[in-house]
Amino acid sequence: MNLFYNQAAVGDVAFLQLEPAQGEFQYENKGDVVEIQLDGQVVGYNIFNASLYVSINGNGHIKLTETLVQGLQKAIESAGFTFKLNADFSPKFVVGYVETKEKHPDADKLSVLSVDVATEKLQIVCGAPNVDAGQKVVVAKVGAVMPSGMVIKDAELRGVASSGMICSMKELNLPNAPQEKGIMVLSDDYTVGQSFFEE
C-alpha cells in the first residue's frame, strides 16, 4: 500500500495505491472518495479534500503510519465504501544474507539468489557483478518504494521468479555512492532482518 500526495502540484488529493496495477480501471465516486477497481478488485482510492480527514506532511511518496491509515479508512467509510485497508508497517529495506548463488538458466549476466531476511527466505534474481553467497546486503522487499519512485513488486526475469531487489548505494540514493555497477555489501556488524534505515 502506497500513499502519494502533492498539494502544490495536484491540490488536496491523497492517492492511495493498494496494488500496482495496469489496465482498464473502473471508477466509483461517492462524496470526496473515488474507488478504483480493476477486474472487480479494489486497487486504489483518490481522496479529495484529504486535509479534512488526515494531516499529511510532505510531497511525493508519504510514509504510512497507523494514524494516517486510520484517517484514510475513516474517509473511505464516511463516503459509504466498506473496503478495509490492510497496512503492513514492517520495514521494507532490510538486511539480508545471501545463502546461495546460482547461475540464471537463461541469462549469462544474472544470478539466482536465496536470501535470508530473518522472517522469510526470498528468491531474488540479481544482475550485479559483485554479488556472492556469504554476503550481507540491503534488500528492498516487495512493496518498497525506491528513492526513484519505483515500487518493488514480485516479478519474473527471463522466466525465473524474483521477490525483491538487492540494492546498490546509488539505488538507495546514499551519499558518495560509487558510479560503477555493484550492490552494497555490508559488514558483519549488521543483523539479518534489521531495518536498514531508521524507520
Side-chain angles (χ1 to χ4, degrees), residues 104 110-113 122-127 140 142 152-166:
H104 190 291
L110 296 179
S111 302
V112 182
L113 313 172
L122 302 174
Q123 177 171 287
I124 299 177
V125 177
C126 180
V142 170
I152 302 299
K153 39 193 170 185
D154 283 314
E156 236 182 56
L157 284 96
R158 302 288 289 271
V160 176
S162 182
S163 295
M165 183 172 109
I166 295 181

PDB file of all heavy atoms in Angstrom, residues 104 110-113 122-127 140 142 152-166:
ATOM      1  N   HIS A 104      21.800 -17.987 -13.545  1.00  0.00           N
ATOM      2  CA  HIS A 104      20.469 -17.971 -14.167  1.00  0.00           C
ATOM      3  C   HIS A 104      20.494 -18.912 -15.368  1.00  0.00           C
ATOM      4  O   HIS A 104      21.430 -18.879 -16.166  1.00  0.00           O
ATOM      5  CB  HIS A 104      20.133 -16.541 -14.610  1.00  0.00           C
ATOM      6  CG  HIS A 104      18.712 -16.354 -15.044  1.00  0.00           C
ATOM      7  ND1 HIS A 104      18.218 -16.912 -16.200  1.00  0.00           N
ATOM      8  CD2 HIS A 104      17.688 -15.656 -14.486  1.00  0.00           C
ATOM      9  CE1 HIS A 104      16.941 -16.568 -16.325  1.00  0.00           C
ATOM     10  NE2 HIS A 104      16.593 -15.808 -15.293  1.00  0.00           N
ATOM     11  N   LEU A 110      22.919 -12.739 -15.156  1.00  0.00           N
ATOM     12  CA  LEU A 110      22.023 -12.754 -13.998  1.00  0.00           C
ATOM     13  C   LEU A 110      22.335 -13.937 -13.089  1.00  0.00           C
ATOM     14  O   LEU A 110      22.747 -14.998 -13.544  1.00  0.00           O
ATOM     15  CB  LEU A 110      20.561 -12.840 -14.448  1.00  0.00           C
ATOM     16  CG  LEU A 110      20.012 -11.653 -15.253  1.00  0.00           C
ATOM     17  CD1 LEU A 110      18.568 -11.908 -15.642  1.00  0.00           C
ATOM     18  CD2 LEU A 110      20.132 -10.342 -14.478  1.00  0.00           C
ATOM     19  N   SER A 111      22.123 -13.721 -11.780  1.00  0.00           N
ATOM     20  CA  SER A 111      22.275 -14.796 -10.791  1.00  0.00           C
ATOM     21  C   SER A 111      20.952 -14.982 -10.066  1.00  0.00           C
ATOM     22  O   SER A 111      20.183 -14.027  -9.875  1.00  0.00           O
ATOM     23  CB  SER A 111      23.340 -14.414  -9.759  1.00  0.00           C
ATOM     24  OG  SER A 111      24.576 -14.167 -10.390  1.00  0.00           O
ATOM     25  N   VAL A 112      20.698 -16.214  -9.637  1.00  0.00           N
ATOM     26  CA  VAL A 112      19.514 -16.515  -8.833  1.00  0.00           C
ATOM     27  C   VAL A 112      19.991 -16.763  -7.414  1.00  0.00           C
ATOM     28  O   VAL A 112      20.810 -17.655  -7.161  1.00  0.00           O
ATOM     29  CB  VAL A 112      18.765 -17.749  -9.388  1.00  0.00           C
ATOM     30  CG1 VAL A 112      17.506 -18.007  -8.559  1.00  0.00           C
ATOM     31  CG2 VAL A 112      18.413 -17.556 -10.858  1.00  0.00           C
ATOM     32  N   LEU A 113      19.483 -15.954  -6.482  1.00  0.00           N
ATOM     33  CA  LEU A 113      19.966 -15.982  -5.104  1.00  0.00           C
ATOM     34  C   LEU A 113      18.879 -16.448  -4.150  1.00  0.00           C
ATOM     35  O   LEU A 113      17.697 -16.160  -4.357  1.00  0.00           O
ATOM     36  CB  LEU A 113      20.406 -14.574  -4.677  1.00  0.00           C
ATOM     37  CG  LEU A 113      21.303 -13.804  -5.645  1.00  0.00           C
ATOM     38  CD1 LEU A 113      21.471 -12.378  -5.175  1.00  0.00           C
ATOM     39  CD2 LEU A 113      22.649 -14.485  -5.783  1.00  0.00           C
ATOM     40  N   LEU A 122      13.915 -15.358   0.570  1.00  0.00           N
ATOM     41  CA  LEU A 122      13.449 -14.810  -0.698  1.00  0.00           C
ATOM     42  C   LEU A 122      14.315 -15.324  -1.840  1.00  0.00           C
ATOM     43  O   LEU A 122      15.536 -15.447  -1.699  1.00  0.00           O
ATOM     44  CB  LEU A 122      13.524 -13.275  -0.676  1.00  0.00           C
ATOM     45  CG  LEU A 122      12.744 -12.569   0.435  1.00  0.00           C
ATOM     46  CD1 LEU A 122      13.049 -11.075   0.413  1.00  0.00           C
ATOM     47  CD2 LEU A 122      11.252 -12.812   0.278  1.00  0.00           C
ATOM     48  N   GLN A 123      13.668 -15.593  -2.965  1.00  0.00           N
ATOM     49  CA  GLN A 123      14.428 -15.855  -4.192  1.00  0.00           C
ATOM     50  C   GLN A 123      14.498 -14.544  -4.957  1.00  0.00           C
ATOM     51  O   GLN A 123      13.469 -13.947  -5.268  1.00  0.00           O
ATOM     52  CB  GLN A 123      13.746 -16.922  -5.054  1.00  0.00           C
ATOM     53  CG  GLN A 123      14.498 -17.150  -6.378  1.00  0.00           C
ATOM     54  CD  GLN A 123      13.967 -18.348  -7.140  1.00  0.00           C
ATOM     55  OE1 GLN A 123      14.197 -19.473  -6.745  1.00  0.00           O
ATOM     56  NE2 GLN A 123      13.255 -18.086  -8.234  1.00  0.00           N
ATOM     57  N   ILE A 124      15.713 -14.079  -5.221  1.00  0.00           N
ATOM     58  CA  ILE A 124      15.913 -12.798  -5.898  1.00  0.00           C
ATOM     59  C   ILE A 124      16.855 -13.000  -7.079  1.00  0.00           C
ATOM     60  O   ILE A 124      17.925 -13.599  -6.929  1.00  0.00           O
ATOM     61  CB  ILE A 124      16.488 -11.730  -4.932  1.00  0.00           C
ATOM     62  CG1 ILE A 124      15.509 -11.496  -3.770  1.00  0.00           C
ATOM     63  CG2 ILE A 124      16.784 -10.425  -5.666  1.00  0.00           C
ATOM     64  CD1 ILE A 124      16.008 -10.522  -2.720  1.00  0.00           C
ATOM     65  N   VAL A 125      16.442 -12.494  -8.227  1.00  0.00           N
ATOM     66  CA  VAL A 125      17.310 -12.502  -9.411  1.00  0.00           C
ATOM     67  C   VAL A 125      18.075 -11.183  -9.415  1.00  0.00           C
ATOM     68  O   VAL A 125      17.483 -10.113  -9.279  1.00  0.00           O
ATOM     69  CB  VAL A 125      16.490 -12.668 -10.710  1.00  0.00           C
ATOM     70  CG1 VAL A 125      17.397 -12.605 -11.926  1.00  0.00           C
ATOM     71  CG2 VAL A 125      15.723 -13.995 -10.688  1.00  0.00           C
ATOM     72  N   CYS A 126      19.395 -11.273  -9.559  1.00  0.00           N
ATOM     73  CA  CYS A 126      20.250 -10.078  -9.436  1.00  0.00           C
ATOM     74  C   CYS A 126      21.275 -10.058 -10.562  1.00  0.00           C
ATOM     75  O   CYS A 126      21.836 -11.093 -10.917  1.00  0.00           O
ATOM     76  CB  CYS A 126      20.943 -10.111  -8.073  1.00  0.00           C
ATOM     77  SG  CYS A 126      22.036  -8.722  -7.753  1.00  0.00           S
ATOM     78  N   GLY A 127      21.516  -8.869 -11.090  1.00  0.00           N
ATOM     79  CA  GLY A 127      22.472  -8.731 -12.186  1.00  0.00           C
ATOM     80  C   GLY A 127      23.789  -8.093 -11.774  1.00  0.00           C
ATOM     81  O   GLY A 127      24.651  -7.836 -12.621  1.00  0.00           O
ATOM     82  N   ALA A 140      15.539  -4.618  -0.784  1.00  0.00           N
ATOM     83  CA  ALA A 140      14.275  -3.883  -0.898  1.00  0.00           C
ATOM     84  C   ALA A 140      13.192  -4.930  -1.111  1.00  0.00           C
ATOM     85  O   ALA A 140      13.169  -5.616  -2.128  1.00  0.00           O
ATOM     86  CB  ALA A 140      14.329  -2.906  -2.071  1.00  0.00           C
ATOM     87  N   VAL A 142       9.316  -6.625  -1.474  1.00  0.00           N
ATOM     88  CA  VAL A 142       8.134  -6.297  -2.273  1.00  0.00           C
ATOM     89  C   VAL A 142       7.304  -5.268  -1.506  1.00  0.00           C
ATOM     90  O   VAL A 142       7.054  -5.415  -0.313  1.00  0.00           O
ATOM     91  CB  VAL A 142       7.309  -7.565  -2.566  1.00  0.00           C
ATOM     92  CG1 VAL A 142       5.955  -7.216  -3.178  1.00  0.00           C
ATOM     93  CG2 VAL A 142       8.084  -8.503  -3.488  1.00  0.00           C
ATOM     94  N   ILE A 152       8.801  -1.743  -5.753  1.00  0.00           N
ATOM     95  CA  ILE A 152       9.298  -3.116  -5.928  1.00  0.00           C
ATOM     96  C   ILE A 152       8.124  -4.079  -5.855  1.00  0.00           C
ATOM     97  O   ILE A 152       7.324  -4.029  -4.915  1.00  0.00           O
ATOM     98  CB  ILE A 152      10.343  -3.459  -4.835  1.00  0.00           C
ATOM     99  CG1 ILE A 152      11.519  -2.473  -4.882  1.00  0.00           C
ATOM    100  CG2 ILE A 152      10.833  -4.899  -4.991  1.00  0.00           C
ATOM    101  CD1 ILE A 152      12.292  -2.454  -6.179  1.00  0.00           C
ATOM    102  N   LYS A 153       8.005  -4.940  -6.853  1.00  0.00           N
ATOM    103  CA  LYS A 153       6.942  -5.941  -6.834  1.00  0.00           C
ATOM    104  C   LYS A 153       7.483  -7.285  -7.273  1.00  0.00           C
ATOM    105  O   LYS A 153       8.583  -7.379  -7.814  1.00  0.00           O
ATOM    106  CB  LYS A 153       5.763  -5.512  -7.710  1.00  0.00           C
ATOM    107  CG  LYS A 153       6.108  -4.825  -8.991  1.00  0.00           C
ATOM    108  CD  LYS A 153       4.874  -4.180  -9.606  1.00  0.00           C
ATOM    109  CE  LYS A 153       5.266  -3.278 -10.755  1.00  0.00           C
ATOM    110  NZ  LYS A 153       4.224  -2.530 -11.342  1.00  0.00           N
ATOM    111  N   ASP A 154       6.696  -8.328  -7.006  1.00  0.00           N
ATOM    112  CA  ASP A 154       7.069  -9.659  -7.487  1.00  0.00           C
ATOM    113  C   ASP A 154       7.196  -9.600  -8.997  1.00  0.00           C
ATOM    114  O   ASP A 154       6.375  -8.983  -9.682  1.00  0.00           O
ATOM    115  CB  ASP A 154       5.988 -10.679  -7.104  1.00  0.00           C
ATOM    116  CG  ASP A 154       6.070 -11.074  -5.631  1.00  0.00           C
ATOM    117  OD1 ASP A 154       7.179 -11.348  -5.153  1.00  0.00           O
ATOM    118  OD2 ASP A 154       5.024 -11.095  -4.971  1.00  0.00           O
ATOM    119  N   ALA A 155       8.236 -10.248  -9.519  1.00  0.00           N
ATOM    120  CA  ALA A 155       8.478 -10.164 -10.962  1.00  0.00           C
ATOM    121  C   ALA A 155       9.037 -11.489 -11.458  1.00  0.00           C
ATOM    122  O   ALA A 155       9.330 -12.394 -10.670  1.00  0.00           O
ATOM    123  CB  ALA A 155       9.468  -9.042 -11.255  1.00  0.00           C
ATOM    124  N   GLU A 156       9.155 -11.573 -12.771  1.00  0.00           N
ATOM    125  CA  GLU A 156       9.825 -12.714 -13.386  1.00  0.00           C
ATOM    126  C   GLU A 156      10.883 -12.161 -14.310  1.00  0.00           C
ATOM    127  O   GLU A 156      10.591 -11.325 -15.156  1.00  0.00           O
ATOM    128  CB  GLU A 156       8.802 -13.545 -14.181  1.00  0.00           C
ATOM    129  CG  GLU A 156       8.784 -14.989 -13.741  1.00  0.00           C
ATOM    130  CD  GLU A 156       7.822 -15.845 -14.532  1.00  0.00           C
ATOM    131  OE1 GLU A 156       7.937 -15.887 -15.775  1.00  0.00           O
ATOM    132  OE2 GLU A 156       6.958 -16.464 -13.903  1.00  0.00           O
ATOM    133  N   LEU A 157      12.130 -12.584 -14.140  1.00  0.00           N
ATOM    134  CA  LEU A 157      13.209 -12.117 -15.002  1.00  0.00           C
ATOM    135  C   LEU A 157      13.700 -13.287 -15.834  1.00  0.00           C
ATOM    136  O   LEU A 157      14.243 -14.250 -15.272  1.00  0.00           O
ATOM    137  CB  LEU A 157      14.353 -11.523 -14.166  1.00  0.00           C
ATOM    138  CG  LEU A 157      14.035 -10.123 -13.623  1.00  0.00           C
ATOM    139  CD1 LEU A 157      13.521 -10.223 -12.205  1.00  0.00           C
ATOM    140  CD2 LEU A 157      15.241  -9.232 -13.671  1.00  0.00           C
ATOM    141  N   ARG A 158      13.437 -13.190 -17.124  1.00  0.00           N
ATOM    142  CA  ARG A 158      13.814 -14.260 -18.061  1.00  0.00           C
ATOM    143  C   ARG A 158      13.308 -15.616 -17.568  1.00  0.00           C
ATOM    144  O   ARG A 158      14.023 -16.611 -17.569  1.00  0.00           O
ATOM    145  CB  ARG A 158      15.335 -14.302 -18.264  1.00  0.00           C
ATOM    146  CG  ARG A 158      15.961 -13.012 -18.780  1.00  0.00           C
ATOM    147  CD  ARG A 158      15.638 -12.746 -20.250  1.00  0.00           C
ATOM    148  NE  ARG A 158      16.307 -13.653 -21.159  1.00  0.00           N
ATOM    149  CZ  ARG A 158      17.504 -13.466 -21.689  1.00  0.00           C
ATOM    150  NH1 ARG A 158      18.186 -12.374 -21.400  1.00  0.00           N
ATOM    151  NH2 ARG A 158      18.021 -14.338 -22.529  1.00  0.00           N
ATOM    152  N   GLY A 159      12.053 -15.641 -17.097  1.00  0.00           N
ATOM    153  CA  GLY A 159      11.425 -16.901 -16.733  1.00  0.00           C
ATOM    154  C   GLY A 159      11.662 -17.372 -15.311  1.00  0.00           C
ATOM    155  O   GLY A 159      11.178 -18.427 -14.919  1.00  0.00           O
ATOM    156  N   VAL A 160      12.403 -16.601 -14.507  1.00  0.00           N
ATOM    157  CA  VAL A 160      12.674 -17.007 -13.113  1.00  0.00           C
ATOM    158  C   VAL A 160      12.034 -15.986 -12.164  1.00  0.00           C
ATOM    159  O   VAL A 160      12.244 -14.779 -12.298  1.00  0.00           O
ATOM    160  CB  VAL A 160      14.198 -17.112 -12.846  1.00  0.00           C
ATOM    161  CG1 VAL A 160      14.466 -17.423 -11.380  1.00  0.00           C
ATOM    162  CG2 VAL A 160      14.816 -18.190 -13.726  1.00  0.00           C
ATOM    163  N   ALA A 161      11.258 -16.495 -11.196  1.00  0.00           N
ATOM    164  CA  ALA A 161      10.563 -15.625 -10.245  1.00  0.00           C
ATOM    165  C   ALA A 161      11.558 -14.898  -9.348  1.00  0.00           C
ATOM    166  O   ALA A 161      12.585 -15.453  -8.958  1.00  0.00           O
ATOM    167  CB  ALA A 161       9.601 -16.449  -9.393  1.00  0.00           C
ATOM    168  N   SER A 162      11.237 -13.633  -9.047  1.00  0.00           N
ATOM    169  CA  SER A 162      12.098 -12.816  -8.202  1.00  0.00           C
ATOM    170  C   SER A 162      11.228 -11.985  -7.271  1.00  0.00           C
ATOM    171  O   SER A 162      10.309 -11.304  -7.726  1.00  0.00           O
ATOM    172  CB  SER A 162      12.971 -11.902  -9.068  1.00  0.00           C
ATOM    173  OG  SER A 162      13.857 -11.138  -8.269  1.00  0.00           O
ATOM    174  N   SER A 163      11.514 -12.059  -5.955  1.00  0.00           N
ATOM    175  CA  SER A 163      10.728 -11.312  -4.964  1.00  0.00           C
ATOM    176  C   SER A 163      11.638 -10.372  -4.193  1.00  0.00           C
ATOM    177  O   SER A 163      12.252 -10.760  -3.196  1.00  0.00           O
ATOM    178  CB  SER A 163      10.052 -12.281  -3.987  1.00  0.00           C
ATOM    179  OG  SER A 163       9.116 -13.086  -4.659  1.00  0.00           O
ATOM    180  N   GLY A 164      11.752  -9.134  -4.688  1.00  0.00           N
ATOM    181  CA  GLY A 164      12.591  -8.146  -4.026  1.00  0.00           C
ATOM    182  C   GLY A 164      13.798  -7.774  -4.872  1.00  0.00           C
ATOM    183  O   GLY A 164      13.967  -8.267  -5.993  1.00  0.00           O
ATOM    184  N   MET A 165      14.617  -6.897  -4.325  1.00  0.00           N
ATOM    185  CA  MET A 165      15.781  -6.407  -5.063  1.00  0.00           C
ATOM    186  C   MET A 165      16.937  -6.190  -4.097  1.00  0.00           C
ATOM    187  O   MET A 165      16.740  -5.702  -2.984  1.00  0.00           O
ATOM    188  CB  MET A 165      15.421  -5.089  -5.756  1.00  0.00           C
ATOM    189  CG  MET A 165      16.520  -4.524  -6.608  1.00  0.00           C
ATOM    190  SD  MET A 165      15.902  -3.107  -7.560  1.00  0.00           S
ATOM    191  CE  MET A 165      16.726  -1.781  -6.729  1.00  0.00           C
ATOM    192  N   ILE A 166      18.132  -6.571  -4.521  1.00  0.00           N
ATOM    193  CA  ILE A 166      19.334  -6.276  -3.738  1.00  0.00           C
ATOM    194  C   ILE A 166      19.875  -4.941  -4.248  1.00  0.00           C
ATOM    195  O   ILE A 166      20.015  -4.742  -5.456  1.00  0.00           O
ATOM    196  CB  ILE A 166      20.360  -7.409  -3.864  1.00  0.00           C
ATOM    197  CG1 ILE A 166      19.748  -8.666  -3.235  1.00  0.00           C
ATOM    198  CG2 ILE A 166      21.665  -7.031  -3.177  1.00  0.00           C
ATOM    199  CD1 ILE A 166      20.626  -9.865  -3.260  1.00  0.00           C
TER     200      ILE A 166
END
